[in-house]
Amino acid sequence: MREYAFFLGCIAPNRYPGAESASYKTAEKLGIKLLDLEGASCCPAPGAFGSIDLNVWYAMAARNLVLAEQMKKDIALICNGCYKSIWEVNHKLKHHKELREGVNEVLKGIDMEFKGTIDVWHLAELFYDPAIVGVQKIRDSVKVPLTGTRIAVHYGCHLMKPRKERHFGTTEHPTWMEEMVAALGAEPVEYRNKMLCCGAGGGVRGYDLVHSLDITNEKMINLMEAKVDALTEVCPFCQLQFDRGQIEIQEKFGVSYNLPVLHYCELLGLAQGMTPQELALDLHGISCEPFLKKVL
Amino acid sequence: MARTKGYPEALEKKLADTRLYEDERHPEFTKTVEKISMTIPHMCYQCGTCTASCPSAPRSSYRIRKFVRRGLLGLEDEALTDPDLWLCTTCYSCTDRCPRDIAPTDVIMAMRNLAFKRDIIPVNFLKTVQAIYTTGHGVPNNDVNRAARKKLGLPADPPTTHGFPKYVKGIQYILDYFELKKNADRIVKEREG
């Protein structure tokens, strides 16, 4: 059993606890044990903090990284926004001496030092990596195949972009998550402009909600054209934007889509036999019932 | 999409005048932006691939190419006072497609950092700072969620700064080190009374 320090972030534990719960349980069935990262905070939000002062962003993310260094465990996380902060700051501080020294000067005041001894992973990439889990193992863990459902994938931005700094290959038309959806027995569905942003990032959701929802709405239109039963993603902030966002779109634009939005861990949980109650799907803004009826 | 943020009158007038005045250029602005962003806006040849890739461009007057140009020319005031600066969702599509290997997204982030130094910042950014200062979380827990967590067999508060509040001190130290909380409180008070 591989062990990782589980960096929770904010939105998963505080808005979609089912995604958190599903992560522990699904990962365990695939040979990954997620350990508590005691005292971790917000990553902090790359859009908000990065925009205000990048030096604060580096220092705050470094504090979270040091907590895992002290545990001597790599970090696993389930949010693209957290990935941007935690992975990228780890990467930058490891390779940029001046930045690292600046951050350690700050951390000295709280008896911490960034050493650069651990790596950071998104749980989805661990699931996909055949050296760790791999698609075959995911397929073998399925108890309730999601047969007969059409599921679209939203990759989000900060996991794979900027491409040249990351290690995921193409960001124009990736298909690795579709493979992971197919492994659950569902039919992965392509749709127009799949890689378009959800619209929430960079502080835009807070700054200009209508503008940000208009981007989400464009995605929703493209998704409806593809006649999908559900949308899956690996970022609770994207999930919030699509899920609660659909309610806001209805209020602001007068259109309703009622498309269930599930984190990949929630979807995997369902396929591995977890009940909707165990996934707290009732906390979703958009009811998952129509999708669940097809599956269960 | 209708714009919800208005241009300040002075900027509107300035933008109507297409001439470039030498005394409005600040070469050190270009250098500062390049240092903070760790990218190279001076290499831009204005092809416009960035704007064409931008999800915000079709629904607003935000043009990322224009900001890169302002960075290159050192047009500090024009860049920092433009409300469109805050419409970048940081999706990095422009960065992935730039044929000159520039990261326009990081140019925007650097300009936002410099704008904040002049107190130019939307309050929603500062409210995130205030929330994190108090709880360690940008999106804090609430009672409905606590009840749901218990039902799932999870602790009511996650094992983060919520479950272990003694760690909040370290966060407050970092934010105070950069005087961020103080400045956030001051600016929010000025705007909202």
Side-chain angles (χ1 to χ4, degrees), chain A residues 155-241:
Chain A
Y155 283 81
C157 299
H158 296 131
L159 178 59
M160 300 166 64
K161 295 190 263 185
R163 186 188 73 241
K164 284 162 205 152
E165 284 183 23
R166 305 282 203 268
H167 45 272
F168 288 88
T170 177
T171 52
E172 293 295 336
H173 194 176
T175 51
W176 59 276
M177 273 195 61
E178 274 81 359
E179 286 177 48
M180 299 217 297
V181 166
L184 308 182
E187 182 190 347
V189 182
E190 292 283 352
Y191 59 102
R192 188 188 300 183
N193 209 355
K194 174 170 87 172
M195 294 309 287
L196 180 68
C197 168
C198 72
V204 176
R205 182 178 163 84
Y207 173 62
D208 191 339
L209 181 62
V210 172
H211 179 97
S212 112
L213 289 174
D214 195 55
I215 300 175
T216 319
N217 195 36
E218 184 180 333
K219 286 218 74 146
M220 291 308 303
I221 292 168
N222 295 342
L223 284 161
M224 294 326 274
E225 274 178 2
K227 298 198 169 36
V228 296
D229 298 311
L231 175 68
T232 188
E233 31 58 39
V234 286
C235 173
F237 195 32
C238 297
Q239 178 162 336
L240 186 88
Q241 179 72 2

Coordinates of all heavy atoms in Angstrom, one line a residue, chain A residues 155-241:
Chain A
Y155 N -11.5 18.7 -18.2 CA -10.2 18.5 -17.6 C -9.8 19.6 -16.7 O -9.0 19.4 -15.8 CB -9.2 18.4 -18.8 CG -9.1 17.1 -19.5 CD1 -10.1 16.8 -20.4 CD2 -8.2 16.1 -19.1 CE1 -10.0 15.5 -21.1 CE2 -8.2 14.9 -19.8 CZ -9.1 14.6 -20.7 OH -9.1 13.4 -21.4
G156 N -10.4 20.8 -16.9 CA -9.9 22.0 -16.2 C -8.6 22.5 -16.7 O -8.0 21.9 -17.6
C157 N -8.1 23.6 -16.1 CA -6.9 24.2 -16.6 C -5.7 23.9 -15.9 O -4.6 23.6 -16.5 CB -7.1 25.7 -16.6 SG -8.5 26.2 -17.6
H158 N -5.7 24.0 -14.6 CA -4.4 24.1 -13.8 C -3.7 22.8 -13.6 O -2.6 22.8 -13.0 CB -4.6 24.9 -12.5 CG -5.0 26.3 -12.8 ND1 -6.1 26.9 -12.2 CD2 -4.5 27.2 -13.7 CE1 -6.2 28.1 -12.7 NE2 -5.3 28.3 -13.6
L159 N -4.3 21.7 -13.9 CA -3.7 20.4 -13.8 C -2.6 20.3 -14.9 O -1.5 19.9 -14.7 CB -4.7 19.2 -13.9 CG -4.1 17.8 -13.8 CD1 -3.4 17.6 -12.5 CD2 -5.3 16.8 -14.0
M160 N -3.0 20.5 -16.2 CA -2.2 20.2 -17.3 C -1.5 21.4 -18.0 O -0.6 21.3 -18.8 CB -3.0 19.5 -18.4 CG -3.6 18.2 -17.8 SD -4.9 17.5 -18.9 CE -4.0 17.2 -20.3
K161 N -2.1 22.6 -17.7 CA -1.5 23.8 -18.3 C -0.8 24.7 -17.2 O -1.2 24.7 -16.1 CB -2.6 24.7 -18.9 CG -3.3 24.0 -20.1 CD -4.2 24.9 -20.8 CE -5.7 24.7 -20.4 NZ -6.6 25.5 -21.2
P162 N 0.3 25.4 -17.5 CA 0.9 25.5 -18.8 C 1.7 24.2 -19.2 O 2.4 23.7 -18.4 CB 1.9 26.7 -18.7 CG 2.1 26.8 -17.2 CD 0.9 26.3 -16.5
R163 N 1.5 23.8 -20.4 CA 1.9 22.5 -20.9 C 3.5 22.3 -20.7 O 3.9 21.2 -20.3 CB 1.6 22.4 -22.4 CG 1.9 21.0 -23.0 CD 1.7 21.0 -24.5 NE 2.7 21.8 -25.2 CZ 2.5 22.8 -25.9 NH1 1.3 23.3 -26.1 NH2 3.6 23.4 -26.5
K164 N 4.2 23.4 -21.0 CA 5.7 23.2 -21.0 C 6.2 23.0 -19.6 O 7.3 22.5 -19.5 CB 6.3 24.4 -21.7 CG 6.2 24.4 -23.2 CD 6.4 25.7 -23.8 CE 5.7 25.8 -25.1 NZ 5.3 27.2 -25.5
E165 N 5.5 23.4 -18.6 CA 6.0 23.2 -17.2 C 5.5 21.9 -16.7 O 6.1 21.4 -15.7 CB 5.5 24.3 -16.3 CG 6.2 25.6 -16.5 CD 5.7 26.7 -15.5 OE1 5.2 26.3 -14.5 OE2 5.9 27.9 -15.8
R166 N 4.5 21.4 -17.2 CA 3.9 20.1 -16.7 C 4.4 18.9 -17.5 O 5.3 19.0 -18.3 CB 2.4 20.2 -16.8 CG 1.7 21.4 -16.1 CD 1.7 21.2 -14.6 NE 0.7 22.1 -14.0 CZ 0.9 23.3 -13.5 NH1 2.1 23.9 -13.6 NH2 -0.1 24.0 -13.0
H167 N 3.7 17.8 -17.3 CA 4.2 16.5 -17.8 C 3.1 15.7 -18.4 O 3.1 14.5 -18.4 CB 5.0 15.7 -16.8 CG 4.2 15.7 -15.5 ND1 4.3 16.7 -14.5 CD2 3.2 14.9 -15.0 CE1 3.5 16.4 -13.5 NE2 2.8 15.3 -13.8
F168 N 2.0 16.3 -18.9 CA 0.9 15.6 -19.3 C 0.7 15.5 -20.8 O -0.2 14.9 -21.3 CB -0.4 16.3 -18.8 CG -0.6 16.1 -17.3 CD1 0.0 17.0 -16.4 CD2 -1.3 15.0 -16.8 CE1 -0.2 16.8 -15.0 CE2 -1.5 14.8 -15.4 CZ -0.9 15.8 -14.5
G169 N 1.7 16.1 -21.6 CA 1.6 16.0 -23.0 C 0.5 17.0 -23.5 O 0.4 18.1 -22.9
T170 N -0.2 16.7 -24.6 CA -1.0 17.6 -25.3 C -2.1 18.2 -24.4 O -2.7 17.5 -23.5 CB -1.7 17.0 -26.5 OG1 -2.6 18.0 -27.1 CG2 -2.5 15.8 -26.2
T171 N -2.3 19.5 -24.5 CA -3.4 20.1 -23.8 C -4.5 20.6 -24.8 O -5.5 21.2 -24.4 CB -3.0 21.4 -23.0 OG1 -2.2 22.2 -23.9 CG2 -2.1 21.0 -21.9
E172 N -4.3 20.3 -26.1 CA -5.3 20.6 -27.1 C -6.4 19.6 -27.1 O -7.6 19.9 -27.3 CB -4.7 20.8 -28.5 CG -3.7 21.9 -28.6 CD -4.3 23.3 -28.4 OE1 -5.6 23.4 -28.7 OE2 -3.6 24.3 -28.1
H173 N -6.0 18.3 -27.0 CA -7.1 17.3 -27.1 C -6.6 16.0 -26.4 O -6.4 15.0 -27.0 CB -7.4 17.0 -28.6 CG -8.7 16.2 -28.7 ND1 -9.2 15.8 -29.9 CD2 -9.5 15.6 -27.8 CE1 -10.3 15.1 -29.7 NE2 -10.5 15.0 -28.4
P174 N -6.5 16.1 -25.1 CA -6.1 14.9 -24.3 C -7.3 13.9 -24.2 O -8.4 14.3 -24.4 CB -5.8 15.5 -22.9 CG -6.7 16.7 -22.8 CD -6.8 17.2 -24.2
T175 N -6.9 12.6 -24.0 CA -8.0 11.6 -23.9 C -7.8 10.6 -22.7 O -8.5 9.7 -22.6 CB -8.1 10.8 -25.2 OG1 -6.8 10.3 -25.5 CG2 -8.6 11.5 -26.4
W176 N -6.8 10.9 -21.9 CA -6.5 10.0 -20.8 C -7.7 9.9 -19.8 O -7.9 8.8 -19.3 CB -5.2 10.3 -20.1 CG -5.1 11.6 -19.5 CD1 -4.7 12.8 -20.1 CD2 -5.3 12.0 -18.1 NE1 -4.7 13.8 -19.2 CE2 -5.1 13.4 -18.0 CE3 -5.7 11.3 -17.0 CZ2 -5.2 14.0 -16.8 CZ3 -5.8 11.9 -15.8 CH2 -5.6 13.3 -15.7
M177 N -8.4 11.0 -19.6 CA -9.5 10.9 -18.6 C -10.7 10.1 -19.2 O -11.4 9.5 -18.5 CB -9.9 12.2 -18.1 CG -9.1 12.6 -16.9 SD -9.7 14.0 -16.0 CE -11.3 13.4 -15.5
E178 N -10.8 10.2 -20.5 CA -11.9 9.5 -21.2 C -11.6 8.0 -21.0 O -12.5 7.2 -20.8 CB -11.9 9.8 -22.7 CG -12.8 11.0 -23.0 CD -12.1 12.3 -22.8 OE1 -10.9 12.3 -22.4 OE2 -12.7 13.4 -23.1
E179 N -10.3 7.6 -21.1 CA -10.0 6.2 -20.8 C -10.4 5.8 -19.4 O -10.9 4.6 -19.2 CB -8.5 6.0 -20.9 CG -7.9 6.0 -22.3 CD -6.4 5.8 -22.3 OE1 -5.9 4.9 -21.6 OE2 -5.7 6.7 -23.0
M180 N -10.2 6.7 -18.5 CA -10.6 6.3 -17.1 C -12.1 6.3 -16.9 O -12.6 5.5 -16.1 CB -10.0 7.4 -16.1 CG -8.5 7.4 -16.1 SD -7.8 7.7 -14.5 CE -8.4 9.3 -14.1
V181 N -12.9 7.1 -17.7 CA -14.3 7.0 -17.7 C -14.8 5.7 -18.3 O -15.7 5.0 -17.8 CB -14.9 8.2 -18.4 CG1 -16.4 8.0 -18.7 CG2 -14.7 9.5 -17.6
A182 N -14.2 5.3 -19.4 CA -14.6 4.1 -20.1 C -14.3 2.9 -19.2 O -15.1 1.9 -19.2 CB -13.8 3.9 -21.4
A183 N -13.3 3.0 -18.4 CA -13.0 1.9 -17.5 C -14.1 1.6 -16.5 O -14.2 0.5 -15.9 CB -11.7 2.2 -16.7
L184 N -15.0 2.6 -16.3 CA -16.1 2.4 -15.3 C -17.3 1.8 -16.0 O -18.4 1.7 -15.4 CB -16.5 3.8 -14.7 CG -15.3 4.6 -14.0 CD1 -15.9 5.8 -13.4 CD2 -14.6 3.7 -13.0
G185 N -17.2 1.6 -17.3 CA -18.3 1.0 -18.1 C -19.2 2.0 -18.8 O -20.1 1.7 -19.5
A186 N -18.9 3.3 -18.6 CA -19.7 4.4 -19.2 C -19.1 4.7 -20.6 O -18.0 4.3 -20.9 CB -19.6 5.6 -18.3
E187 N -19.9 5.4 -21.4 CA -19.4 5.8 -22.7 C -18.9 7.2 -22.6 O -19.6 8.1 -22.3 CB -20.6 5.7 -23.7 CG -20.1 6.1 -25.1 CD -21.3 6.3 -26.1 OE1 -22.5 5.9 -25.7 OE2 -21.1 6.8 -27.1
P188 N -17.6 7.4 -22.8 CA -17.0 8.8 -22.7 C -17.5 9.5 -24.0 O -17.4 9.0 -25.1 CB -15.5 8.6 -22.7 CG -15.3 7.2 -23.2 CD -16.5 6.4 -23.0
V189 N -17.9 10.8 -23.8 CA -18.4 11.6 -24.9 C -17.6 12.8 -25.2 O -17.2 13.5 -24.3 CB -19.9 12.0 -24.6 CG1 -20.5 12.7 -25.8 CG2 -20.7 10.8 -24.3
E190 N -17.2 13.0 -26.5 CA -16.5 14.2 -26.9 C -17.5 15.3 -27.1 O -18.7 15.1 -27.5 CB -15.7 13.9 -28.1 CG -14.5 13.0 -28.0 CD -13.3 13.7 -27.3 OE1 -13.4 14.9 -27.1 OE2 -12.4 12.9 -26.9
Y191 N -17.1 16.6 -26.9 CA -18.0 17.7 -27.2 C -17.1 18.9 -27.6 O -15.9 18.9 -27.5 CB -18.8 18.1 -26.0 CG -18.0 18.4 -24.7 CD1 -17.9 19.7 -24.3 CD2 -17.5 17.4 -23.9 CE1 -17.2 20.1 -23.2 CE2 -16.7 17.8 -22.8 CZ -16.6 19.1 -22.5 OH -15.9 19.4 -21.3
R192 N -17.8 19.8 -28.2 CA -17.1 21.0 -28.8 C -16.3 21.8 -27.8 O -16.8 22.0 -26.7 CB -18.1 21.9 -29.5 CG -17.5 23.0 -30.3 CD -18.6 24.0 -30.8 NE -19.6 23.3 -31.6 CZ -20.6 24.0 -32.2 NH1 -20.7 25.3 -32.0 NH2 -21.5 23.3 -32.9
N193 N -15.1 22.1 -28.2 CA -14.3 23.0 -27.3 C -14.1 22.5 -25.9 O -14.3 23.2 -24.9 CB -14.8 24.4 -27.3 CG -13.8 25.5 -27.1 OD1 -12.6 25.2 -26.9 ND2 -14.2 26.7 -27.2
K194 N -13.8 21.2 -25.8 CA -13.7 20.5 -24.6 C -12.7 21.1 -23.6 O -13.0 21.1 -22.4 CB -13.2 19.0 -24.9 CG -12.9 18.1 -23.7 CD -12.7 16.7 -24.2 CE -11.3 16.5 -24.6 NZ -11.0 15.0 -24.8
M195 N -11.7 21.7 -24.1 CA -10.6 22.3 -23.2 C -10.9 23.7 -22.7 O -10.1 24.3 -22.0 CB -9.3 22.2 -23.8 CG -8.8 20.8 -24.1 SD -8.9 19.7 -22.6 CE -7.5 20.4 -21.6
L196 N -12.1 24.2 -23.1 CA -12.5 25.6 -22.6 C -12.5 25.6 -21.0 O -13.0 24.6 -20.4 CB -13.8 26.0 -23.2 CG -14.4 27.4 -22.8 CD1 -13.5 28.5 -23.4 CD2 -15.8 27.5 -23.3
C197 N -12.0 26.7 -20.5 CA -12.1 26.9 -19.0 C -13.5 26.9 -18.5 O -14.4 27.2 -19.2 CB -11.4 28.3 -18.9 SG -11.5 29.1 -17.3
C198 N -13.7 26.6 -17.2 CA -15.0 26.6 -16.6 C -15.5 28.1 -16.4 O -16.7 28.3 -16.2 CB -15.1 25.8 -15.3 SG -14.2 26.6 -13.9
G199 N -14.5 29.0 -16.3 CA -14.9 30.4 -16.1 C -14.7 30.9 -14.7 O -14.8 32.1 -14.5
A200 N -14.4 30.1 -13.8 CA -14.3 30.5 -12.4 C -13.0 31.1 -12.0 O -12.9 31.9 -11.0 CB -14.7 29.3 -11.5
G201 N -11.9 30.7 -12.6 CA -10.6 31.0 -12.1 C -10.1 32.4 -12.1 O -10.9 33.3 -12.6
G202 N -8.9 32.6 -11.6 CA -8.3 33.9 -11.7 C -9.0 35.0 -10.9 O -8.8 36.2 -11.1
G203 N -10.0 34.6 -10.0 CA -10.7 35.6 -9.2 C -11.9 36.1 -10.0 O -12.6 37.0 -9.5
V204 N -12.1 35.6 -11.2 CA -13.2 36.2 -12.1 C -14.6 35.9 -11.5 O -15.5 36.7 -11.6 CB -13.1 35.7 -13.5 CG1 -14.2 36.2 -14.4 CG2 -11.7 36.2 -14.1
R205 N -14.7 34.7 -10.9 CA -16.0 34.4 -10.3 C -16.5 35.4 -9.3 O -17.6 35.8 -9.2 CB -16.0 33.0 -9.7 CG -17.3 32.5 -9.1 CD -17.3 31.1 -8.6 NE -18.4 30.9 -7.7 CZ -19.6 30.6 -8.1 NH1 -19.9 30.4 -9.3 NH2 -20.6 30.5 -7.2
G206 N -15.5 35.8 -8.5 CA -15.8 36.8 -7.5 C -15.9 38.2 -8.0 O -16.7 39.1 -7.6
Y207 N -15.1 38.5 -9.1 CA -15.0 39.9 -9.6 C -16.2 40.2 -10.5 O -16.8 41.3 -10.5 CB -13.7 40.0 -10.4 CG -13.5 41.3 -11.2 CD1 -13.5 42.5 -10.5 CD2 -13.4 41.3 -12.5 CE1 -13.3 43.7 -11.2 CE2 -13.2 42.5 -13.2 CZ -13.1 43.7 -12.5 OH -13.0 44.9 -13.2
D208 N -16.6 39.3 -11.4 CA -17.6 39.5 -12.3 C -18.4 38.2 -12.6 O -18.1 37.5 -13.6 CB -17.0 40.1 -13.6 CG -18.1 40.6 -14.6 OD1 -19.2 40.2 -14.5 OD2 -17.7 41.4 -15.5
L209 N -19.3 37.9 -11.7 CA -20.0 36.6 -11.8 C -20.7 36.4 -13.1 O -20.6 35.3 -13.7 CB -21.1 36.5 -10.6 CG -21.8 35.2 -10.5 CD1 -20.9 34.1 -10.3 CD2 -22.9 35.3 -9.5
V210 N -21.3 37.4 -13.7 CA -22.0 37.2 -15.0 C -21.1 36.8 -16.1 O -21.3 35.9 -16.9 CB -22.9 38.5 -15.3 CG1 -23.4 38.3 -16.7 CG2 -24.0 38.7 -14.3
H211 N -19.9 37.5 -16.1 CA -18.9 37.2 -17.1 C -18.5 35.7 -16.9 O -18.4 35.0 -17.9 CB -17.7 38.2 -16.9 CG -16.6 37.9 -17.9 ND1 -16.4 38.6 -19.0 CD2 -15.6 37.0 -17.8 CE1 -15.4 38.2 -19.7 NE2 -14.8 37.2 -19.0
S212 N -18.2 35.3 -15.7 CA -17.7 34.0 -15.5 C -18.8 33.0 -15.8 O -18.5 31.9 -16.4 CB -17.2 33.9 -14.1 OG -18.0 33.0 -13.3
L213 N -20.0 33.3 -15.5 CA -21.1 32.3 -15.8 C -21.3 32.2 -17.3 O -21.8 31.2 -17.9 CB -22.4 32.7 -15.2 CG -22.5 32.6 -13.7 CD1 -23.8 33.2 -13.1 CD2 -22.4 31.1 -13.2
D214 N -21.0 33.3 -18.1 CA -21.2 33.3 -19.5 C -20.3 32.3 -20.2 O -20.6 31.6 -21.1 CB -21.0 34.7 -20.1 CG -21.5 34.8 -21.5 OD1 -22.7 34.5 -21.7 OD2 -20.7 35.1 -22.4
I215 N -19.1 32.1 -19.6 CA -18.1 31.1 -20.1 C -18.7 29.7 -19.8 O -18.7 28.8 -20.6 CB -16.7 31.3 -19.4 CG1 -16.2 32.7 -19.8 CG2 -15.8 30.2 -19.9 CD1 -14.9 33.1 -19.1
T216 N -19.2 29.5 -18.5 CA -19.8 28.3 -18.1 C -20.9 27.9 -19.0 O -21.1 26.8 -19.4 CB -20.3 28.3 -16.7 OG1 -19.3 29.1 -15.9 CG2 -20.5 27.0 -16.1
N217 N -21.7 28.9 -19.3 CA -22.9 28.7 -20.2 C -22.5 28.2 -21.5 O -23.2 27.3 -22.1 CB -23.7 30.0 -20.3 CG -25.1 29.8 -20.8 OD1 -25.7 28.8 -20.5 ND2 -25.6 30.7 -21.6
E218 N -21.4 28.7 -22.1 CA -21.0 28.3 -23.4 C -20.6 26.8 -23.3 O -21.0 26.0 -24.2 CB -19.7 29.1 -23.8 CG -19.3 28.7 -25.2 CD -18.0 29.5 -25.7 OE1 -17.9 30.6 -25.3 OE2 -17.3 28.9 -26.5
K219 N -20.0 26.4 -22.2 CA -19.6 25.0 -22.0 C -20.9 24.1 -21.9 O -21.0 23.1 -22.5 CB -18.8 24.8 -20.8 CG -17.4 25.2 -21.0 CD -16.4 24.3 -20.3 CE -16.2 23.0 -21.0 NZ -14.8 22.4 -20.9
M220 N -21.9 24.7 -21.2 CA -23.1 23.9 -21.0 C -23.8 23.7 -22.3 O -24.4 22.6 -22.6 CB -24.1 24.7 -20.1 CG -23.6 24.8 -18.6 SD -23.2 23.2 -17.9 CE -24.7 22.3 -18.1
I221 N -23.9 24.7 -23.2 CA -24.5 24.6 -24.5 C -23.8 23.5 -25.3 O -24.5 22.6 -25.9 CB -24.4 26.0 -25.3 CG1 -25.3 27.0 -24.6 CG2 -24.8 25.8 -26.7 CD1 -25.2 28.4 -25.1
N222 N -22.5 23.5 -25.3 CA -21.7 22.5 -26.0 C -22.0 21.1 -25.5 O -22.1 20.1 -26.2 CB -20.2 22.8 -26.0 CG -19.9 24.1 -26.7 OD1 -20.7 24.6 -27.5 ND2 -18.7 24.6 -26.5
L223 N -22.1 21.0 -24.1 CA -22.4 19.7 -23.5 C -23.8 19.2 -23.8 O -24.0 18.0 -24.1 CB -22.2 19.8 -22.0 CG -20.8 19.9 -21.4 CD1 -20.8 20.5 -20.0 CD2 -20.2 18.5 -21.5
M224 N -24.8 20.1 -23.8 CA -26.1 19.7 -24.1 C -26.2 19.2 -25.6 O -27.0 18.2 -25.9 CB -27.1 20.8 -23.9 CG -27.3 21.3 -22.5 SD -27.1 20.0 -21.2 CE -28.7 19.4 -21.1
E225 N -25.5 19.8 -26.5 CA -25.5 19.3 -27.9 C -25.0 17.9 -28.0 O -25.4 17.1 -28.9 CB -24.5 20.2 -28.7 CG -25.2 21.5 -29.3 CD -24.3 22.3 -30.1 OE1 -23.1 22.0 -30.2 OE2 -24.7 23.4 -30.5
A226 N -24.1 17.5 -27.1 CA -23.6 16.1 -27.1 C -24.4 15.1 -26.4 O -24.1 13.9 -26.3 CB -22.1 16.1 -26.5
K227 N -25.6 15.6 -25.8 CA -26.5 14.7 -25.2 C -25.9 13.8 -24.1 O -25.9 12.6 -24.2 CB -27.3 13.9 -26.2 CG -28.1 14.7 -27.2 CD -29.2 13.9 -27.9 CE -30.2 14.7 -28.6 NZ -29.7 15.9 -29.3
V228 N -25.3 14.5 -23.1 CA -24.6 13.7 -22.1 C -25.5 13.5 -20.9 O -26.4 14.3 -20.6 CB -23.3 14.3 -21.7 CG1 -22.3 14.4 -22.8 CG2 -23.5 15.7 -21.1
D229 N -25.2 12.4 -20.1 CA -26.0 12.2 -18.9 C -25.4 12.8 -17.6 O -26.0 13.1 -16.6 CB -26.1 10.7 -18.6 CG -26.9 10.0 -19.7 OD1 -27.9 10.5 -20.1 OD2 -26.3 9.0 -20.3
A230 N -24.0 13.0 -17.7 CA -23.3 13.7 -16.6 C -22.0 14.2 -17.1 O -21.5 13.9 -18.1 CB -23.1 12.6 -15.5
L231 N -21.5 15.1 -16.3 CA -20.2 15.7 -16.5 C -19.3 15.3 -15.4 O -19.7 15.4 -14.2 CB -20.3 17.2 -16.6 CG -18.9 18.0 -16.8 CD1 -18.3 17.8 -18.1 CD2 -19.2 19.5 -16.6
T232 N -18.0 14.9 -15.7 CA -17.1 14.6 -14.6 C -15.9 15.5 -14.7 O -15.5 15.9 -15.8 CB -16.8 13.1 -14.6 OG1 -16.0 12.8 -13.4 CG2 -15.9 12.7 -15.8
E233 N -15.2 15.7 -13.6 CA -14.1 16.6 -13.6 C -13.2 16.1 -12.4 O -13.6 15.3 -11.6 CB -14.4 18.1 -13.4 CG -15.7 18.4 -12.7 CD -15.8 17.9 -11.3 OE1 -14.7 18.0 -10.6 OE2 -16.8 17.5 -10.8
V234 N -12.0 16.8 -12.3 CA -11.1 16.5 -11.2 C -10.8 17.7 -10.4 O -9.7 17.8 -9.8 CB -9.8 15.7 -11.7 CG1 -10.1 14.3 -12.1 CG2 -9.2 16.5 -12.8
C235 N -11.7 18.6 -10.3 CA -11.4 19.9 -9.6 C -12.7 20.4 -8.9 O -13.7 20.8 -9.6 CB -11.0 20.9 -10.6 SG -10.8 22.6 -9.9
P236 N -12.7 20.4 -7.6 CA -14.0 20.8 -6.9 C -14.4 22.3 -7.2 O -15.5 22.6 -7.1 CB -13.6 20.7 -5.4 CG -12.5 19.7 -5.4 CD -11.7 19.9 -6.7
F237 N -13.4 23.1 -7.6 CA -13.8 24.5 -7.9 C -14.5 24.5 -9.3 O -15.5 25.2 -9.4 CB -12.5 25.4 -8.0 CG -12.9 26.9 -7.9 CD1 -14.0 27.4 -7.3 CD2 -12.0 27.8 -8.6 CE1 -14.3 28.8 -7.2 CE2 -12.3 29.2 -8.6 CZ -13.4 29.6 -7.9
C238 N -14.0 23.7 -10.2 CA -14.8 23.6 -11.5 C -16.2 23.0 -11.2 O -17.2 23.4 -11.7 CB -14.1 22.7 -12.5 SG -12.5 23.3 -13.0
Q239 N -16.2 22.0 -10.3 CA -17.4 21.4 -9.9 C -18.4 22.4 -9.3 O -19.6 22.4 -9.7 CB -17.1 20.3 -8.9 CG -18.4 19.6 -8.4 CD -18.1 18.2 -7.7 OE1 -17.0 17.6 -7.9 NE2 -18.9 17.8 -6.8
L240 N -17.9 23.2 -8.5 CA -18.8 24.3 -7.9 C -19.3 25.2 -9.0 O -20.5 25.5 -9.0 CB -17.9 25.1 -6.9 CG -18.7 26.2 -6.1 CD1 -19.2 25.6 -4.8 CD2 -17.8 27.3 -5.7
Q241 N -18.4 25.6 -9.9 CA -18.8 26.5 -11.0 C -19.9 25.8 -11.9 O -20.8 26.5 -12.4 CB -17.6 26.9 -11.8 CG -17.9 27.8 -13.0 CD -18.2 29.2 -12.5 OE1 -18.3 29.5 -11.4 NE2 -18.5 30.1 -13.5

